[in-house]
Amino acid sequence: MLIALVLATTPLFAINIILNQYAERRAVSELEAMGNVTIRRAEEAISTTVSLLQRLDRDDIQSCNAEDRVIYEKQIVEHGMIDAIGLADATGQRMCIIPDRELSEQVILPPAKVDGPLVGIGMLDRSYLGARAAVISWDLKDQTRIFAEVTPAVIATDPGPEYLRSYRRAELRLGNNLLWYNVGGYNSQASDPGDMLSVEVASELYPLSVTLTVPNAAAAFLVQDLKVIAAAGCAGIALLFVAIGVWLSWRPESEANDEFVAAIRNGEFIPFYQPVMDIETGRLRGCEVLMRWRRPNGVIVSPGQFMAYAENNGHIFDMTRHMMRVSSEEVGELYGENPDFKLSINLFAGHFLDREIISDINSIFEKSRISFQQIVVEVTERHPLQDMELARKIIAELQALGVRVALDDVGTGHGGMAYLQKLGVDIIKIDKMFVDTIGSDDNSTTIVDSMVELADNLGMGIIAEGVELEEQIERLLELGVTAAQGYYFAQPMAADEFIEFAERMEEKAREKARLAAEAAAAEQAANEAAMSSAA
């Protein structure tokens, strides 16, 4: 109410603040859209080129002879984004290039490594409208690489509204600060950061990021006319603020929080269990513990409606402890009888700001029938970890207890490769967005294939999330993924249903093993009988 009264006495000041904030939000949204356009163009250029190089390798078109050159020329004509195709030796120098041009001793690729990545991306000196030509390579595994030079015109675009394009600066960078594209003359380094709007958009597929910067004054052009109109109606807006203030003051702000605290105290937050299956054998590997809010009227509320509030207000710590205590009681006996089962518990970034989570796991599971070796904690990539070094130490302590650590939502959030390199996780989980399109999108298939290869190289386990179709299981098995969860197997369920599900799966597995043993015995008896007859 006090804020409303202040705004009522200074309506013009309040309106200007609101309009300026609107202009900044709109400008940020426009900048994000401009960044997304640039990122999508770069991703499309890389993905299309990588697919072409993979296809040439698969078709055994990987030499400098005349027959292969004809095919290279045809691919260049068909793919307007590609200027040239060629081969490079182990040192990174061109062996041949089509169209024919003088071969200099210039190194365009880094030296080949036996355990190096299959795909390489770099920049050439050639440029157009602020964009440099990119060189994308595919390792042929014989100390040579086939490469394609991508025309800079592919990403030399200038999207966005005119009022921003006249003032903004855009920079697209690859990997460790390698500049691919820049446009605009605005010098952000010489300006006060408080007078700038800056947006960074990162690719979810490749190590690409675009930074766009404009002065705050550029956004003000959007609302100049609105400020004139708003000045005429300031009295009405002042009354509106007073009315809003009265309405907001009618219900104390703490009421919603008190309701949430009461729900925690009354045990309304309960664990649901989603099975994790071995898709090779059909046996149960364990489950992931998912939180649900069961209101007093029996209505089940999904976590999307309360989890952000719980994390922002610090309630998530009590709720996580409650989930662990209840799950240890509900499925402890089942896990005690099946020591190979794993119990996955979700943590969020705040759990890695101190060692309290280690104490919680110790105190709850030390005397439980669920051993530390059966526990998996999942670290989500959707929210950034504020202190990577501390997070690494906490994870190391958990692993010392025997707890395994999984990286959830891989490829969709902030961490990317940095989390895999620095945190020392044991398991990576393939997000549902990649599983959904694994049979129809070559990019998703390539990404999952890369994840499997990475997991194999680093000695990590891998689990696919959100599996809903049999075709997805078949494709995952082809790519080397053997564990999965999703509605194809079962949706999250209460403890008693999960225990019944687990017993049913184990019974099926025992019956399958019994039939296999009987078949093997019958085959052995037949072989022995045949040998006796022959004798």
Side-chain angles (χ1 to χ4, degrees):
M1 175 64 89
L2 179 61
I3 294 175
L5 291 174
V6 171
L7 291 175
T9 59
T10 55
L12 286 177
F13 177 72
I15 292 169
N16 279 323
I17 290 177
I18 292 170
L19 290 177
N20 287 336
Q21 290 177 342
Y22 166 77
E24 290 181 7
R25 288 196 300 269
R26 178 68 177 273
V28 167
S29 178
E30 295 283 6
L31 289 174
E32 289 176 344
M34 293 160 67
N36 283 321
V37 169
T38 302
I39 286 293
R40 283 198 300 271
R41 285 182 176 273
E43 288 177 345
E44 181 181 0
I46 294 172
S47 297
T48 301
T49 306
V50 169
S51 296
L52 168 62
L53 297 178
Q54 287 177 321
R55 188 165 63 253
L56 291 173
D57 181 20
R58 186 174 62 246
D59 295 342
D60 203 29
I61 303 167
Q62 47 187 244
S63 73
C64 292
N65 62 36
E67 183 178 349
D68 285 355
R69 284 171 175 265
V70 171
I71 297 175
Y72 296 153
E73 290 178 348
K74 181 180 178 182
Q75 296 301 322
I76 293 170
V77 171
E78 292 180 356
H79 295 79
M81 67 176 60
I82 294 176
D83 281 340
I85 298 176
L87 295 176
D89 61 20
T91 65
Q93 294 186 21
R94 296 185 183 98
M95 298 165 58
C96 64
I97 187 167
I98 293 84
D100 289 328
R101 65 177 72 150
E102 182 179 350
L103 297 176
S104 65
E105 295 182 357
Q106 179 186 9
V107 173
I108 65 167
L109 297 173
K113 297 181 179 179
V114 175
D115 58 347
L118 290 173
V119 177
I121 308 173
M123 295 295 127
L124 300 175
D125 292 334
R126 190 170 74 257
S127 64
Y128 170 75
L129 295 179
R132 299 168 67 187
V135 57
I136 299 174
S137 65
W138 177 261
D139 194 343
L140 299 176
K141 295 300 183 182
D142 61 355
Q143 294 297 298
T144 64
R145 285 160 287 178
I146 187 170
F147 67 87
E149 295 181 8
V150 178
T151 175
V154 170
I155 58 169
T157 60
D158 203 10
E162 181 62 30
Y163 79 94
L164 290 180
R165 285 194 288 120
S166 300
Y167 299 91
R168 64 84 186 85
R169 177 170 181 79
E171 296 178 346
L172 175 64
R173 297 186 179 274
L174 172 68
N176 296 323
N177 214 29
L178 182 61
L179 185 64
W180 188 350
Y181 167 65
N182 73 92
V183 65
Y186 177 66
N187 186 356
S188 60
Q189 294 181 349
S191 304
D192 183 353
D195 296 333
M196 299 185 308
L197 293 175
S198 184
V199 168
E200 181 173 345
V201 180
S203 168
E204 297 180 351
L205 303 179
Y206 303 105
L208 295 168
S209 64
V210 61
T211 303
L212 298 103
T213 307
V214 297
N216 285 337
F221 285 104
L222 183 65
V223 294
Q224 281 181 338
D225 294 336
L226 289 175
K227 286 184 178 181
V228 175
I229 297 172
C234 63
I237 294 178
L239 291 175
L240 176 62
F241 276 124
V242 172
I244 292 174
V246 172
W247 180 78
L248 290 175
S249 63
W250 188 260
R251 181 188 181 192
E253 185 178 341
S254 62
E255 184 177 329
N257 193 57
D258 291 344
E259 180 184 4
F260 206 83
V261 172
I264 297 173
R265 185 173 58 250
N266 295 334
E268 294 178 16
F269 295 96
I270 60 173
F272 267 42
Y273 306 87
Q274 183 167 41
V276 177
M277 303 297 298
D278 187 317
I279 57 179
E280 277 190 320
T281 64
R283 301 197 67 152
L284 182 68
R285 285 195 175 187
C287 69
E288 178 180 356
V289 179
L290 301 171
M291 193 181 302
R292 297 291 186 268
W293 185 358
R294 183 171 58 197
R295 304 302 299 270
N297 61 4
V299 172
I300 299 294
V301 182
S302 66
Q305 299 182 46
F306 63 82
M307 193 59 72
Y309 180 85
E311 293 176 359
N312 292 335
N313 289 274
H315 297 307
I316 190 65
F317 302 103
D318 286 336
M319 295 163 71
T320 302
R321 279 189 286 269
H322 180 68
M323 288 301 102
M324 291 191 293
R325 279 194 294 267
V326 174
S327 59
S328 70
E329 295 168 0
E330 289 184 336
V331 299
E333 183 176 351
L334 173 67
Y335 272 68
E337 296 170 353
N338 298 273
D340 292 332
F341 283 4
K342 303 297 181 185
L343 185 78
S344 293
I345 300 163
N346 287 292
L347 304 182
F348 92 114
H351 281 109
F352 296 92
L353 292 177
D354 57 51
R355 298 180 65 260
E356 189 170 2
I357 184 61
I358 301 173
S359 301
D360 290 341
I361 291 176
N362 253 319
S363 62
I364 293 171
F365 291 102
E366 185 176 20
K367 297 181 180 179
S368 167
R369 294 196 63 181
I370 302 175
S371 69
F372 293 130
Q373 288 74 22
Q374 291 177 282
I375 300 171
V376 178
V377 295
E378 297 192 12
V379 185
T380 181
E381 207 189 278
R382 294 188 186 274
H383 302 288
L385 295 171
Q386 297 179 26
D387 189 334
M388 288 286 288
E389 187 60 32
L390 177 58
R392 178 68 190 100
K393 291 178 181 178
I394 292 172
I395 285 174
E397 289 193 53
L398 289 171
Q399 290 169 327
L401 287 175
V403 175
R404 303 183 76 193
V405 179
L407 182 60
D408 199 6
D409 309 315
V410 171
T412 64
H414 297 76
M417 291 297 297
Y419 277 16
L420 294 177
Q421 292 172 338
K422 296 180 181 179
L423 296 183
V425 298
D426 304 295
I427 302 166
I428 59 177
K429 301 191 75 172
I430 305 172
D431 191 79
K432 184 181 187 298
M433 65 177 287
F434 299 118
V435 174
D436 283 344
T437 55
I438 195 172
S440 58
D441 183 10
D442 289 341
N443 289 336
S444 292
T445 302
T446 301
I447 292 169
V448 174
D449 196 15
S450 300
M451 289 183 187
V452 174
E453 182 179 0
L454 178 65
D456 288 341
N457 291 338
L458 297 180
M460 297 186 298
I462 188 163
I463 300 173
E465 296 184 289
V467 174
E468 296 179 352
L469 303 172
E470 187 171 355
E471 293 81 359
Q472 293 171 343
I473 295 177
E474 295 171 356
R475 194 72 186 94
L476 288 168
L477 284 171
E478 290 174 6
L479 293 173
V481 180
T482 60
Q485 62 187 91
Y487 278 26
Y488 177 82
F489 308 105
Q491 62 184 3
M493 59 190 80
D496 54 349
E497 295 177 77
F498 173 68
I499 293 171
E500 291 178 7
F501 178 87
E503 292 173 347
R504 193 162 60 249
M505 289 298 100
E506 286 302 296
E507 180 62 31
K508 286 184 179 179
R510 285 192 294 268
E511 179 65 15
K512 183 178 179 180
R514 184 185 66 80
L515 293 175
E518 290 179 356
E523 182 179 0
Q524 182 179 358
N527 290 337
E528 290 175 353
M531 292 175 62
S532 299
S533 300

